[in-house]
Short mmCIF file of all heavy atoms in Angstrom, two decimals:
data_model
loop_
_atom_site.label_atom_id
_atom_site.label_comp_id
_atom_site.label_asym_id
_atom_site.label_seq_id
_atom_site.Cartn_x
_atom_site.Cartn_y
_atom_site.Cartn_z
N SER B 326 5.06 -9.90 -20.96
CA SER B 326 4.75 -9.23 -19.70
C SER B 326 3.45 -9.76 -19.09
O SER B 326 2.57 -10.26 -19.78
CB SER B 326 4.65 -7.73 -19.92
OG SER B 326 3.58 -7.43 -20.78
N LYS B 327 3.39 -9.60 -17.78
CA LYS B 327 2.23 -10.06 -17.03
C LYS B 327 1.07 -9.07 -17.19
O LYS B 327 1.28 -7.86 -17.22
CB LYS B 327 2.61 -10.19 -15.55
CG LYS B 327 1.51 -10.69 -14.67
CD LYS B 327 1.99 -10.78 -13.24
CE LYS B 327 0.84 -11.13 -12.34
NZ LYS B 327 1.23 -11.13 -10.93
N ASN B 328 -0.15 -9.58 -17.25
CA ASN B 328 -1.33 -8.73 -17.32
C ASN B 328 -1.66 -8.23 -15.92
O ASN B 328 -2.01 -8.99 -15.03
CB ASN B 328 -2.52 -9.52 -17.89
CG ASN B 328 -3.78 -8.69 -18.01
OD1 ASN B 328 -3.81 -7.53 -17.61
ND2 ASN B 328 -4.81 -9.27 -18.54
N ASN B 329 -1.51 -6.92 -15.70
CA ASN B 329 -1.77 -6.31 -14.39
C ASN B 329 -3.03 -5.45 -14.40
O ASN B 329 -3.17 -4.57 -13.56
CB ASN B 329 -0.58 -5.45 -13.98
CG ASN B 329 0.63 -6.28 -13.62
OD1 ASN B 329 0.49 -7.32 -13.00
ND2 ASN B 329 1.79 -5.82 -14.02
N SER B 330 -3.94 -5.69 -15.30
CA SER B 330 -5.11 -4.84 -15.44
C SER B 330 -6.01 -4.83 -14.19
O SER B 330 -6.74 -3.88 -13.97
CB SER B 330 -5.93 -5.25 -16.67
OG SER B 330 -6.40 -6.58 -16.53
N ASP B 331 -5.93 -5.88 -13.37
CA ASP B 331 -6.77 -5.93 -12.17
C ASP B 331 -5.99 -5.63 -10.89
O ASP B 331 -6.47 -5.84 -9.79
CB ASP B 331 -7.45 -7.29 -12.05
CG ASP B 331 -6.48 -8.43 -11.86
OD1 ASP B 331 -5.26 -8.24 -12.07
OD2 ASP B 331 -6.93 -9.53 -11.49
N PHE B 332 -4.80 -5.05 -11.03
CA PHE B 332 -3.92 -4.81 -9.89
C PHE B 332 -4.55 -3.89 -8.85
O PHE B 332 -4.35 -4.06 -7.66
CB PHE B 332 -2.59 -4.21 -10.38
CG PHE B 332 -1.55 -4.12 -9.32
CD1 PHE B 332 -0.81 -5.23 -8.97
CD2 PHE B 332 -1.32 -2.93 -8.65
CE1 PHE B 332 0.16 -5.14 -7.98
CE2 PHE B 332 -0.37 -2.83 -7.66
CZ PHE B 332 0.38 -3.95 -7.32
N PHE B 333 -5.32 -2.90 -9.27
CA PHE B 333 -5.89 -1.92 -8.35
C PHE B 333 -7.36 -2.18 -8.03
O PHE B 333 -8.06 -1.28 -7.56
CB PHE B 333 -5.71 -0.51 -8.89
CG PHE B 333 -4.28 -0.07 -8.88
CD1 PHE B 333 -3.57 0.05 -10.07
CD2 PHE B 333 -3.63 0.21 -7.70
CE1 PHE B 333 -2.25 0.44 -10.07
CE2 PHE B 333 -2.31 0.61 -7.68
CZ PHE B 333 -1.61 0.72 -8.87
N LYS B 334 -7.82 -3.40 -8.22
CA LYS B 334 -9.21 -3.73 -7.86
C LYS B 334 -9.38 -3.74 -6.35
O LYS B 334 -10.29 -3.13 -5.81
CB LYS B 334 -9.64 -5.04 -8.48
CG LYS B 334 -9.90 -4.94 -9.96
CD LYS B 334 -10.57 -6.20 -10.49
CE LYS B 334 -10.70 -6.10 -11.97
NZ LYS B 334 -11.95 -5.69 -12.47
N VAL B 335 -8.54 -4.50 -5.67
CA VAL B 335 -8.56 -4.57 -4.20
C VAL B 335 -7.12 -4.53 -3.69
O VAL B 335 -6.20 -4.88 -4.41
CB VAL B 335 -9.26 -5.85 -3.68
CG1 VAL B 335 -10.72 -5.87 -4.04
CG2 VAL B 335 -8.58 -7.10 -4.18
N LYS B 336 -6.95 -4.11 -2.44
CA LYS B 336 -5.63 -4.07 -1.85
C LYS B 336 -5.13 -5.47 -1.55
O LYS B 336 -5.87 -6.29 -1.02
CB LYS B 336 -5.64 -3.27 -0.55
CG LYS B 336 -5.65 -1.80 -0.73
CD LYS B 336 -5.43 -1.12 0.60
CE LYS B 336 -5.47 0.36 0.43
NZ LYS B 336 -5.12 1.06 1.66
N ASN B 337 -3.88 -5.69 -1.84
CA ASN B 337 -3.22 -6.93 -1.45
C ASN B 337 -2.74 -6.80 0.00
O ASN B 337 -2.65 -5.70 0.54
CB ASN B 337 -2.02 -7.20 -2.37
CG ASN B 337 -2.44 -7.52 -3.78
OD1 ASN B 337 -3.25 -8.41 -3.99
ND2 ASN B 337 -1.92 -6.79 -4.75
N ASP B 338 -2.40 -7.93 0.61
CA ASP B 338 -1.95 -7.91 2.01
C ASP B 338 -0.74 -7.01 2.21
O ASP B 338 -0.65 -6.28 3.18
CB ASP B 338 -1.62 -9.33 2.49
CG ASP B 338 -2.87 -10.19 2.65
OD1 ASP B 338 -3.98 -9.63 2.77
OD2 ASP B 338 -2.73 -11.43 2.68
N TRP B 339 0.21 -7.07 1.27
CA TRP B 339 1.41 -6.26 1.41
C TRP B 339 1.08 -4.77 1.35
O TRP B 339 1.72 -3.95 1.99
CB TRP B 339 2.46 -6.63 0.37
CG TRP B 339 1.99 -6.50 -1.05
CD1 TRP B 339 1.48 -7.49 -1.84
CD2 TRP B 339 1.97 -5.32 -1.85
NE1 TRP B 339 1.15 -6.99 -3.07
CE2 TRP B 339 1.44 -5.66 -3.11
CE3 TRP B 339 2.35 -4.01 -1.63
CZ2 TRP B 339 1.29 -4.74 -4.13
CZ3 TRP B 339 2.18 -3.10 -2.65
CH2 TRP B 339 1.67 -3.48 -3.90
N SER B 340 0.05 -4.41 0.60
CA SER B 340 -0.36 -3.01 0.51
C SER B 340 -1.02 -2.56 1.81
O SER B 340 -0.82 -1.43 2.25
CB SER B 340 -1.31 -2.83 -0.67
OG SER B 340 -1.60 -1.47 -0.86
N LEU B 341 -1.80 -3.43 2.41
CA LEU B 341 -2.41 -3.12 3.71
C LEU B 341 -1.33 -2.87 4.77
O LEU B 341 -1.43 -1.94 5.57
CB LEU B 341 -3.34 -4.26 4.16
CG LEU B 341 -4.60 -4.44 3.32
CD1 LEU B 341 -5.29 -5.76 3.68
CD2 LEU B 341 -5.55 -3.27 3.54
N ILE B 342 -0.30 -3.71 4.75
CA ILE B 342 0.80 -3.56 5.70
C ILE B 342 1.55 -2.25 5.45
O ILE B 342 1.85 -1.50 6.38
CB ILE B 342 1.76 -4.77 5.63
CG1 ILE B 342 1.04 -6.02 6.14
CG2 ILE B 342 3.04 -4.50 6.42
CD1 ILE B 342 1.74 -7.31 5.84
N LYS B 343 1.82 -1.96 4.18
CA LYS B 343 2.51 -0.71 3.84
C LYS B 343 1.71 0.49 4.32
O LYS B 343 2.25 1.42 4.91
CB LYS B 343 2.72 -0.60 2.33
CG LYS B 343 3.32 0.73 1.91
CD LYS B 343 3.16 1.00 0.44
CE LYS B 343 3.62 2.42 0.15
NZ LYS B 343 3.28 2.86 -1.17
N ASP B 344 0.41 0.48 4.09
CA ASP B 344 -0.43 1.61 4.49
C ASP B 344 -0.48 1.77 6.01
O ASP B 344 -0.51 2.88 6.52
CB ASP B 344 -1.83 1.47 3.90
CG ASP B 344 -1.83 1.62 2.39
OD1 ASP B 344 -0.82 2.09 1.82
OD2 ASP B 344 -2.84 1.27 1.77
N LYS B 345 -0.50 0.66 6.72
CA LYS B 345 -0.49 0.72 8.19
C LYS B 345 0.82 1.32 8.69
O LYS B 345 0.83 2.18 9.57
CB LYS B 345 -0.73 -0.65 8.79
CG LYS B 345 -0.87 -0.64 10.28
CD LYS B 345 -1.37 -1.98 10.78
CE LYS B 345 -1.51 -2.00 12.28
NZ LYS B 345 -2.71 -1.38 12.77
N LEU B 346 1.94 0.86 8.13
CA LEU B 346 3.23 1.41 8.51
C LEU B 346 3.34 2.89 8.15
O LEU B 346 3.86 3.70 8.93
CB LEU B 346 4.36 0.64 7.82
CG LEU B 346 4.59 -0.78 8.31
CD1 LEU B 346 5.56 -1.51 7.39
CD2 LEU B 346 5.10 -0.77 9.74
N LEU B 347 2.84 3.24 6.99
CA LEU B 347 2.83 4.63 6.56
C LEU B 347 2.07 5.49 7.55
O LEU B 347 2.52 6.56 7.95
CB LEU B 347 2.22 4.73 5.16
CG LEU B 347 2.28 6.07 4.44
CD1 LEU B 347 3.73 6.41 4.12
CD2 LEU B 347 1.44 6.02 3.19
N GLY B 348 0.89 5.02 7.96
CA GLY B 348 0.08 5.76 8.91
C GLY B 348 0.77 5.93 10.26
O GLY B 348 0.69 6.99 10.88
N CYS B 349 1.48 4.91 10.70
CA CYS B 349 2.19 4.98 11.98
C CYS B 349 3.39 5.93 11.90
O CYS B 349 3.73 6.59 12.88
CB CYS B 349 2.69 3.59 12.39
SG CYS B 349 1.38 2.47 12.85
N TYR B 350 4.03 5.99 10.76
CA TYR B 350 5.24 6.79 10.61
C TYR B 350 4.95 8.26 10.27
O TYR B 350 5.58 9.16 10.83
CB TYR B 350 6.12 6.19 9.51
CG TYR B 350 7.35 7.00 9.22
CD1 TYR B 350 8.45 6.93 10.06
CD2 TYR B 350 7.40 7.85 8.13
CE1 TYR B 350 9.59 7.69 9.81
CE2 TYR B 350 8.52 8.62 7.87
CZ TYR B 350 9.62 8.53 8.70
OH TYR B 350 10.72 9.27 8.46
N LEU B 351 4.03 8.49 9.37
CA LEU B 351 3.84 9.86 8.86
C LEU B 351 3.28 10.83 9.89
O LEU B 351 3.66 12.00 9.88
CB LEU B 351 2.94 9.86 7.63
CG LEU B 351 3.60 9.48 6.32
CD1 LEU B 351 2.61 9.59 5.18
CD2 LEU B 351 4.82 10.31 6.03
N MET B 352 2.41 10.37 10.75
CA MET B 352 1.82 11.29 11.74
C MET B 352 2.91 11.94 12.61
O MET B 352 3.02 13.18 12.64
CB MET B 352 0.78 10.58 12.61
CG MET B 352 0.12 11.47 13.63
SD MET B 352 -1.01 12.70 12.97
CE MET B 352 -2.41 11.69 12.60
N PRO B 353 3.75 11.18 13.29
CA PRO B 353 4.79 11.85 14.10
C PRO B 353 5.83 12.58 13.25
O PRO B 353 6.34 13.61 13.65
CB PRO B 353 5.43 10.71 14.90
CG PRO B 353 5.03 9.45 14.23
CD PRO B 353 3.74 9.74 13.50
N TYR B 354 6.12 12.06 12.05
CA TYR B 354 7.09 12.72 11.18
C TYR B 354 6.58 14.10 10.75
O TYR B 354 7.27 15.10 10.88
CB TYR B 354 7.39 11.86 9.96
CG TYR B 354 8.30 12.53 8.98
CD1 TYR B 354 9.67 12.61 9.25
CD2 TYR B 354 7.82 13.11 7.81
CE1 TYR B 354 10.53 13.26 8.35
CE2 TYR B 354 8.67 13.74 6.92
CZ TYR B 354 10.02 13.80 7.20
OH TYR B 354 10.86 14.44 6.32
N PHE B 355 5.35 14.14 10.25
CA PHE B 355 4.78 15.43 9.82
C PHE B 355 4.70 16.39 11.00
O PHE B 355 4.99 17.58 10.86
CB PHE B 355 3.41 15.24 9.20
CG PHE B 355 3.41 14.73 7.78
CD1 PHE B 355 2.23 14.33 7.17
CD2 PHE B 355 4.57 14.64 7.04
CE1 PHE B 355 2.21 13.85 5.87
CE2 PHE B 355 4.58 14.17 5.72
CZ PHE B 355 3.39 13.78 5.14
#
């Protein structure tokens, strides 16, 4: 298995995109 011990040190680009989409979607949904 791959060593993922540093996975949560900084956000990856895909995580930034996910969080931006989440922010755009959740406000009107909630």
